[in-house]
Amino acid sequence: MRQLIRPILFVLACLVWAACSSTKSLKPGQHLYTGAEVKINPDSSGKIDDEKQVKKDLESKTRPRPNSSILGIRYKLGIYNLAGEPKKPKGFRNWLRRQGEPPVLVSEVKLKYNNDVLTSYLISEGYLQASVTGDTIVKDKKGKAVYTAETGNRYKINKVTFPPDTGVLTKIINQNKNKTLIKAGDYYDLDNYKNERIRIDNDLKEQGYFYFSPDYLIMQVDSTIGKNLVNVNIKVKDITPDAALKPYSIRDINIYPSYSLRRDTLLRKLKPLEYHDFSIYDDRNTFKPRLFDRLVFFQKGEHYNRKDHNQSLNRMVNIGAFRDVRAEFLPVDSFKNNQLDLNIYLTPLKKNSLSFSVTGTSKSNNFVGSELKVTQTTRNLFRGAEQLDVSVSGGFETQVRGTSLGRNSLSFTAEGKLTFPRLIVPFYKPNSTNAFIPKTITSLSYQMLNRGSEYTLHAIKGEYGYNFKENQYKEHNLNPISISYVSTSFPSDTTRERIFTQNPLLRNTLENQFIIGSNYNFTYTNQMETNRRNNVYFYGGLETGGNVWGLFTPTNDKGQKTLFNTPLTQFIRAEADLRDFYKINRNLVWANRLNLGYGYAYGNSSSLPFVRQFFAGGSNDIRAFPARTLGPGTYKVPDTALFADQGGDIKLMLNSELRFKIVSVLYGALFVDAGNIWLRKEDVGEPGKPETARLGSGFKLKNAFNELAVGTGAGLRVDATIFVVRLDVAFPVRKPYLPEGQRWVFDDIAFGNKDWRRQNLIFNIGIGYPF
């Protein structure tokens, strides 16, 4: 991969050159359009509120947009110019030219259109006397548009009048007028008027006005009262149809759980099963009738309301049992009364499905390999929309570089997971009305890892817990019961002692152990709101091990709590992961992450069990260091060590990444990673064996920032939405294991030196973004 650096740098240099010479390909009389500038009240000493933001909003509404650029470099135009004029209708040059952008010319600017758009926007913001005039300025081969906006004074609302209380509909509007978005003293804002109509419509929909629409409301604005004030009169239009002016109730609720167009006629002729308020048409008994108590929130005789409508649809979609969901509300007797029939058409997913996946891995610890996974999914197992997933996977890895070239490992994993779309809690029947389905999940897994002639590790894990979403932003996972048993076998006692002598850390890693405890984690994200400029993600987790069981298990002759003669681990572990994604513009995102972890072992345990420890280094972590080789603290694992699995009880990590679009689905990134792990207490080694100590591995708050590793680098990503393939190359700029005063290594950077590249350049190939 190192051979790729020169051609990549050459291509980038060509793009920069082509972008910087963007006007050379222009024909006589053509001028490159560089963008728009808006001047607000340039001849007036008065300034408007939030002038910078208004100026920015106005400039964003001008058309056309100039050629895309990053840091002033018009990279897409550079690609277009680099490709040149194709001589053939097909081929690489044609493809490359399509990835770029032709030059945007000053002649494409429509001044009158933009004047009208900007004037309309200012009026919608309350500048009712605004006017905008534009002109173009050309210099050499480039030009821009300059728009002058004379805003006048911004109007405020003097008084808001609601419809007189002449019936049930207007009574509902007046009952909720305290929630109005239009208030006296606020600035005139057209968006607020539109949102107020939607608010009133939502209130009416909750009271049964199924056929009402925001379009049946009009906002009459009187701006003639003077003093830059307006009166707003909210009125129901006279042309509103009768059907929209009365509330509707639910008469019959018909459910078709195994619906298809082919069976439509047959299903409608069936005699339905009457269950509570539902008439269920299903000759196949696909689902237990009680399932629909949790999916359908409507009842006979009640008024239609939008909340029940949305929650019912959301539950039927999110339960994961149906391929198609449709709710149909039909008026009874063609609008002559105020009743609706509700027909629910549900098309189930296939009961059984089989999936295969093959993955290739290339890790930063010099291991490459592959894994094959087969998953059998059985849906609606007990006719209550349950889902059983059984998977089997096997893979191998081999070390292609390093001190132990050719070391191999084999893995085998079998897992079963059964998901119930409800909370199963002893002595309690939850009655959730949330739009999202709470779930009870049980799982059992077995994993075998064979390290060739070294050892074989076996792990069995069982969990019972709950998953529930509070809303679209917040998700909770609680596993009150989590049991893991880890055991290791060696070819011989000699092999066992040799491994533990070479790397004493593995003694804790490979000892047989029970982990019995509970865990809880919480996730918050608003990343689904793509229109937001700033998105955040937060994950917090808490896990305990051996707390309750330790009170009842016996103690062996070593003073350890044991279960089936196996030591019981006792610990508390907490972790937090905060991420922030800030959109600088539509093609440039600044992503940041802070990851903190802390573990406290007590009783039987002097440190966290290996499978619960924190690690540093790798493709999703501190990318300038191979996986699990960093730390703890200022300790450096010897080059002769058998394995580089350096775990810790404490972790601090910070990542910052600038992500930008290059062309089509190809994206780039520049990043800086910093962090480390530590043991809660210094590892002094085994008594009488000072060579087994890991000096500098303990955590001291005053030294923490001085012991951080720092790395930087760049990456390319192919983001096809459904998958992301990532290549990052990174190198360290601060090595915490070096003596104090020598840890920053900027002076050692030498890209032209083969030995430096071999020792410092780390290539990471991954699927998905690092965070």
Side-chain angles (χ1 to χ4, degrees):
M1 292 182 183
R2 292 179 176 86
Q3 288 78 6
L4 293 174
I5 295 177
R6 288 183 179 178
I8 290 175
L9 291 176
F10 174 74
V11 171
L12 291 175
C14 290
L15 287 177
V16 171
W17 173 84
C20 293
S21 58
S22 53
T23 60
K24 288 188 175 181
S25 61
L26 297 179
K27 297 178 181 179
Q30 291 183 333
H31 301 89
L32 182 69
Y33 178 62
T34 59
E37 178 186 354
V38 174
K39 297 179 180 180
I40 298 178
N41 301 328
D43 299 328
S44 172
S45 58
K47 287 194 172 184
I48 65 173
D49 294 336
D50 204 9
E51 183 171 309
K52 288 185 178 179
Q53 186 60 46
V54 173
K55 181 176 183 293
K56 187 176 182 180
D57 291 341
L58 290 172
E59 289 175 349
S60 70
K61 295 182 181 300
T62 60
R63 294 295 183 272
R65 294 183 182 275
N67 290 104
S68 304
S69 65
I70 295 178
L71 302 177
I73 299 175
R74 297 178 179 85
Y75 62 97
K76 283 195 174 183
L77 179 57
I79 294 172
Y80 184 87
N81 290 335
L82 184 65
E85 191 68 36
K87 297 180 180 179
K88 298 179 181 179
K90 296 181 180 180
F92 174 75
R93 179 168 287 188
N94 265 280
W95 174 86
L96 184 62
R97 194 172 175 88
R98 288 196 303 271
Q99 308 312 309
E101 287 179 349
V104 179
L105 304 177
V106 173
S107 58
E108 299 175 34
V109 178
K110 303 294 188 290
L111 290 176
K112 185 179 184 309
Y113 171 83
N114 286 330
N115 291 342
D116 293 342
V117 169
L118 301 190
T119 301
S120 177
Y121 175 75
L122 287 171
I123 292 174
S124 72
E125 291 293 303
Y127 301 98
L128 302 185
Q129 306 299 324
S131 65
V132 178
T133 56
D135 199 358
T136 55
I137 298 176
V138 173
K139 184 178 181 180
D140 297 328
K141 290 188 176 183
K142 295 181 180 179
K144 65 178 181 178
V146 178
Y147 298 91
T148 301
E150 298 292 344
T151 63
N153 293 318
R154 192 175 187 185
Y155 282 64
K156 287 186 176 182
I157 297 172
N158 176 57
K159 183 174 65 173
V160 181
T161 304
F162 286 84
D165 191 352
T166 57
V168 179
L169 184 145
T170 51
K171 182 178 180 181
I172 294 171
I173 294 177
N174 279 276
Q175 282 177 341
N176 295 295
K177 67 181 181 182
N178 61 315
K179 298 186 295 183
T180 181
L181 303 177
I182 306 175
K183 299 177 181 178
D186 289 352
Y187 284 115
Y188 176 105
D189 190 326
L190 186 60
D191 285 341
N192 277 348
Y193 297 164
K194 293 177 181 178
N195 292 331
E196 175 68 2
R197 294 200 311 169
I198 294 172
R199 182 196 67 79
I200 294 173
D201 178 63
N202 284 334
D203 287 341
L204 292 172
K205 285 291 194 298
E206 290 301 310
Q207 300 296 325
Y209 289 82
F210 180 78
Y211 290 102
F212 197 84
S213 166
D215 292 336
Y216 298 145
L217 291 166
I218 185 171
M219 304 285 176
Q220 296 175 330
V221 179
D222 181 5
S223 62
T224 63
I225 61 175
K227 297 182 180 180
N228 300 313
L229 296 173
V230 298
N231 287 334
V232 181
N233 179 37
I234 302 174
K235 182 182 176 183
V236 179
K237 292 181 179 179
D238 296 333
I239 60 172
T240 302
D242 291 339
L245 297 174
K246 60 183 180 180
Y248 283 77
S249 60
I250 304 299
R251 188 184 72 165
D252 294 330
I253 303 174
N254 305 310
I255 302 176
Y256 299 84
S258 58
Y259 181 81
S260 67
L261 286 174
R262 182 177 55 83
R263 303 183 70 232
D264 181 90
T265 303
L266 172 64
L267 289 172
R268 294 180 188 276
K269 291 180 180 179
L270 293 176
K271 181 179 180 180
L273 169 66
E274 301 296 337
Y275 176 79
H276 294 173
D277 286 342
F278 310 139
S279 298
I280 303 174
Y281 294 78
D282 184 15
D283 56 337
R284 298 175 177 177
N285 296 319
T286 313
F287 296 92
K288 293 178 180 177
R290 65 183 183 185
L291 171 67
F292 301 108
D293 284 334
R294 301 194 302 275
L295 299 183
V296 181
F297 290 90
F298 285 106
Q299 295 179 350
K300 282 186 177 182
E302 72 171 3
H303 277 140
Y304 167 87
N305 69 86
R306 178 171 283 173
K307 181 179 179 181
D308 285 351
H309 188 171
N310 291 337
Q311 286 186 331
S312 298
L313 287 176
N314 284 336
R315 283 216 161 187
M316 288 184 283
V317 169
N318 293 326
I319 200 170
F322 304 110
R323 177 167 53 87
D324 184 58
V325 173
R326 184 161 57 94
E328 178 185 64
F329 292 88
L330 295 177
V332 178
D333 199 16
S334 302
F335 296 97
K336 290 183 180 180
N337 58 33
N338 59 348
Q339 288 183 313
L340 298 170
D341 281 345
L342 169 58
N343 296 325
I344 298 175
Y345 303 101
L346 304 170
T347 304
L349 289 163
K350 289 184 178 180
K351 187 174 183 65
N352 293 287
S353 63
L354 192 65
S355 62
F356 297 85
S357 65
V358 179
T359 59
T361 59
S362 176
K363 298 182 178 179
S364 56
N365 58 358
N366 298 325
F367 274 87
V368 298
S370 182
E371 182 184 63
L372 172 66
K373 184 175 183 179
V374 181
T375 302
Q376 161 68 34
T377 299
T378 303
R379 300 179 182 87
N380 199 30
L381 186 63
F382 305 120
R383 296 176 51 234
E386 304 84 2
Q387 180 169 309
L388 175 65
D389 296 289
V390 178
S391 63
V392 177
S393 61
F396 75 93
E397 288 184 345
T398 183
Q399 190 169 10
V400 294
R401 294 190 303 274
T403 56
S404 302
L405 188 66
R407 183 185 299 141
N408 300 316
S409 67
L410 301 174
S411 65
F412 172 81
T413 303
E415 180 180 12
K417 183 174 74 171
L418 179 59
T419 302
F420 298 88
R422 59 189 180 278
L423 294 181
I424 302 176
V425 183
F427 312 112
Y428 174 64
K429 292 184 178 181
N431 184 25
S432 170
T433 58
N434 191 294
F436 298 92
I437 298 286
K439 298 176 182 178
T440 300
I441 302 172
T442 61
S443 63
L444 181 65
S445 65
Y446 163 76
Q447 183 178 25
M448 182 274 293
L449 177 64
N450 181 277
R451 290 282 193 179
S453 61
E454 307 298 340
Y455 66 86
T456 301
L457 185 144
H458 305 268
I460 300 175
K461 182 178 181 180
E463 278 191 334
Y464 178 89
Y466 310 103
N467 168 273
F468 49 98
K469 295 189 71 170
E470 187 176 336
N471 50 47
Q472 62 176 330
Y473 306 102
K474 302 175 184 178
E475 182 173 359
H476 305 262
N477 284 281
L478 172 64
N479 291 302
I481 301 174
S482 179
I483 303 174
S484 299
Y485 174 70
V486 181
S487 69
T488 310
S489 59
F490 299 87
S492 66
D493 291 340
T494 303
T495 303
R496 174 191 176 101
E497 290 306 314
R498 174 175 59 82
I499 292 174
F500 289 165
T501 300
Q502 290 180 342
N503 192 343
L505 170 66
L506 292 176
R507 187 176 296 278
N508 291 331
T509 304
L510 302 179
E511 289 287 359
N512 295 350
Q513 53 190 304
F514 259 114
I515 304 174
I516 303 179
S518 306
N519 59 76
Y520 164 79
N521 61 67
F522 167 78
T523 304
Y524 172 87
T525 181
N526 60 12
Q527 290 177 275
M528 73 290 294
E529 297 182 355
T530 55
N531 60 327
R532 292 177 65 99
R533 183 152 198 180
N534 196 75
N535 295 101
V536 296
Y537 168 92
F538 173 77
Y539 166 88
L542 178 65
E543 181 178 9
T544 64
N547 302 65
V548 177
W549 281 87
L551 301 175
F552 304 101
T553 52
T555 304
N556 63 13
D557 53 3
K558 296 181 181 179
Q560 296 176 316
K561 299 284 187 178
T562 61
L563 186 64
F564 304 117
N565 297 320
T566 302
L568 186 68
T569 58
Q570 295 178 288
F571 66 91
I572 298 175
R573 182 184 187 273
E575 184 176 10
D577 190 339
L578 176 63
R579 307 173 188 182
D580 181 86
F581 307 91
Y582 181 76
K583 299 181 181 72
I584 298 174
N585 59 43
R586 60 194 175 112
N587 291 319
L588 190 62
V589 177
W590 186 22
N592 294 278
R593 173 171 65 173
L594 171 64
N595 183 211
L596 301 172
Y598 183 84
Y600 179 82
Y602 64 95
N604 273 4
S605 307
S606 58
S607 64
L608 292 177
F610 178 73
V611 292
R612 298 295 189 271
Q613 286 185 325
F614 301 102
F615 300 91
S619 61
N620 295 323
D621 204 277
I622 304 171
R623 285 162 278 186
F625 296 85
R628 301 190 174 195
T629 61
L630 185 58
T634 59
Y635 174 79
K636 184 180 186 300
V637 62
D639 294 334
T640 57
L642 190 62
F643 299 104
D645 280 331
Q646 300 300 302
D649 304 321
I650 299 170
K651 182 175 184 178
L652 167 62
M653 182 176 65
L654 303 103
N655 307 87
S656 186
E657 186 169 280
L658 198 63
R659 301 170 179 171
F660 50 89
K661 186 174 183 178
I662 299 175
V663 60
S664 184
V665 297
L666 183 63
Y667 291 75
L670 302 173
F671 57 83
V672 177
D673 305 321
N676 207 341
I677 57 169
W678 295 266
L679 297 177
R680 199 167 55 85
K681 295 181 180 179
E682 185 87 357
D683 184 0
V684 297
E686 297 182 41
K689 296 182 179 180
E691 70 277 5
T692 64
R694 289 187 287 171
L695 302 178
S697 59
F699 178 79
K700 293 181 180 179
L701 183 59
K702 63 179 181 180
N703 297 334
F705 285 97
N706 192 37
E707 295 177 354
L708 293 181
V710 181
T712 187
L716 293 174
R717 290 85 192 275
V718 177
D719 186 346
T721 305
I722 58 174
F723 70 91
V724 177
V725 179
R726 170 169 53 94
L727 169 63
D728 290 331
V729 58
F731 58 91
V733 296
R734 195 171 195 277
K735 301 178 179 179
Y737 45 78
L738 295 179
E740 284 198 62
Q742 303 177 29
R743 292 172 180 171
W744 290 105
V745 293
F746 286 109
D747 294 340
D748 298 335
I749 297 174
F751 290 104
N753 186 297
K754 182 178 180 181
D755 290 335
W756 182 89
R757 294 198 305 270
R758 179 175 55 82
Q759 296 174 13
N760 292 275
L761 282 186
I762 302 295
F763 287 85
N764 297 281
I765 297 177
I767 303 297
Y769 285 97
F771 60 93

